[in-house]
Amino acid sequence: MIPGAFDYHRPKSLDEAVALLAQHGDEGRLLAGGHSLIPMMKLRLANPSHLIDLHGIAALAGIEQAGDAIRIGAMTTQAEIIASDLLAAKLPILRETALQIADPQVRYCGTLGGNVANGDPGNDMPAVMMALAADFVVQGPSGERTIAARNYYQGAFTTALADDEVLGAIRIPVPPEGHGWAYQKMKRKVGDYATAAAAVLLVLDGDRCRDARIALTNVADVPLFAAAAGQALVGTTLDDAAVDKAVAAAVAITDPASDPRGPAAFRKHVAGVMIRRAVASARARARGG
Ligand SMILES: Cc1cc2nc3c(=O)[nH]c(=O)nc-3n(C[C@H](O)[C@H](O)[C@H](O)COP(=O)(O)OP(=O)(O)OC[C@H]3O[C@@H](n4cnc5c(N)ncnc54)[C@H](O)[C@@H]3O)c2cc1C
């Protein structure tokens, strides 16, 4: 349980971090909260010879609204998300999700950037970012580019981020006021990753659903954006038949592994239950309940 030897770097700017990544290639690894990376290093599943700590880069901090989007610096911790009044008012699903990640000790260190950049299908924030249509703002040697959360995840621990890029911030369009939201997660115990979890966002026009987004955690190699499932709710009153259709469409794209959290068929079933609960909760919130 002791990691291999490494050199420690603490850059003061994003440019410096990018230059260190370029210099050390495969041997360099970014360190944020360390609560995914350090366990991997202790198990020798990751063995970087150069650790590039992002804590000295002021540009990676902060939560602020700019026009109709909210920018969250990659080094914002899960605890800071929970404490943010701005997020509670504009993006309440983030607080609900962060509260279901691990335990307070992990959340004081674990960052939003690390959680979404990591590419672990068990991480909770990626599906939420897909439901929110978030963009990841990344910095590399040739400047800044934006990757949609929905295009970021390519396989377990494989993402669209290049080896020499740093995720700087997450940009999230603010959903309409009065939208409904929910993140429902089934886990075996406090601190566990999801057996299955579902993020749901709803916008209603009177009784009818104008926009619906459903995304899933830990039921495939990647977080899943269930586009057809959301479409099955649009234009409906969110009646039982529409919800059944949405659940069937979402479960159809899941492909969970059988693992200590349960056999694949059980985890698919749990995904359906989480979607149903999340839709019910989001619908009640959108109706002011
Ligand atoms: C006991 C325990 C329980 C946990 N339970 C859950 C859970 O239920 N749900 C959940 O979602 N997570 C869980 N986690 C993981 C936790 O949320 C991590 O903090 C999170 O996944 C990674 O964030 P970090 O800041 O710690 O990143 P780190 O561990 O420092 O980094 C993770 C990876 O992302 C890369 N990275 C980090 N920041 C950037 C960046 N800005 N740009 C590019 N790459 C970057 C690193 O190089 C590394 O590969 C748990 C962790 C522990 C220890």
Side-chain angles (χ1 to χ4, degrees):
M1 297 301 274
I2 298 173
F6 55 84
D7 286 343
Y8 175 81
H9 307 266
R10 196 175 169 99
K12 292 223 157 35
S13 69
L14 260 177
D15 284 344
E16 210 187 315
V18 169
L20 283 163
L21 279 177
Q23 184 185 342
H24 296 296
D26 277 355
E27 297 298 315
R29 196 81 180 260
L30 299 172
L31 174 73
H35 273 61
S36 287
L37 182 56
I38 289 175
M40 302 259 280
M41 289 170 64
K42 286 182 167 180
L43 293 167
R44 304 284 175 126
L45 294 171
N47 216 0
S49 344
H50 295 271
L51 215 47
I52 303 162
D53 185 347
L54 298 175
H55 281 90
I57 305 177
L60 297 180
I63 303 172
E64 72 243 334
Q65 181 156 5
D68 51 11
I70 288 178
R71 175 203 172 275
I72 306 177
M75 288 299 283
T76 302
T77 63
Q78 295 149 13
E80 286 168 335
I81 287 174
I82 292 166
S84 163
D85 291 337
L86 178 64
L87 295 182
K90 304 285 185 180
L91 294 167
I93 193 172
L94 292 189
R95 182 170 194 277
E96 178 154 280
T97 306
L99 279 166
Q100 295 179 70
I101 293 176
D103 51 53
Q105 281 170 304
V106 171
R107 299 195 294 253
Y108 279 124
C109 293
T111 65
L112 180 61
N115 198 283
V116 300
N118 198 18
D120 182 342
N123 282 142
D124 287 294
M125 285 295 182
V128 176
M129 294 300 144
M130 287 175 150
L132 287 166
D135 282 325
F136 298 158
V137 184
V138 309
Q139 175 96 17
S142 43
E144 189 178 285
R145 71 180 177 120
T146 297
I147 308 170
R150 292 177 194 171
N151 297 330
Y152 184 81
Y153 301 96
Q154 300 177 337
F157 298 100
T158 308
T159 70
L161 193 74
D163 286 347
D164 55 3
E165 287 180 320
V166 182
L167 170 63
I170 296 93
R171 203 164 47 214
I172 306 174
V174 178
E177 205 160 317
H179 72 279
W181 44 275
Y183 188 69
Q184 286 282 333
K185 171 177 177 179
M186 190 203 154
K187 53 189 175 184
R188 294 170 301 178
K189 58 182 173 60
V190 169
D192 195 16
Y193 290 87
T195 302
V200 170
L201 260 90
L202 297 175
V203 180
L204 304 188
D205 247 344
D207 256 7
R208 301 247 156 219
C209 176
R210 172 151 59 90
D211 188 14
R213 306 181 204 159
I214 299 176
L216 303 169
T217 298
N218 219 14
V219 283
D221 275 358
V222 288
L224 297 174
F225 181 63
Q231 271 313 112
L233 297 178
V234 172
T236 74
T237 56
L238 301 172
D239 53 283
D240 289 350
V243 175
D244 286 348
K245 232 169 135 180
V247 169
V251 171
I253 63 167
T254 64
D255 185 19
S258 293
D259 68 9
R261 292 186 178 84
F266 171 71
R267 297 183 62 195
K268 272 179 174 278
H269 172 75
V270 173
V273 175
M274 292 304 106
I275 297 163
R276 261 178 222 288
R277 288 184 188 169
V279 169
S281 174
R283 181 178 52 201
R285 284 163 167 164
R287 288 178 178 162

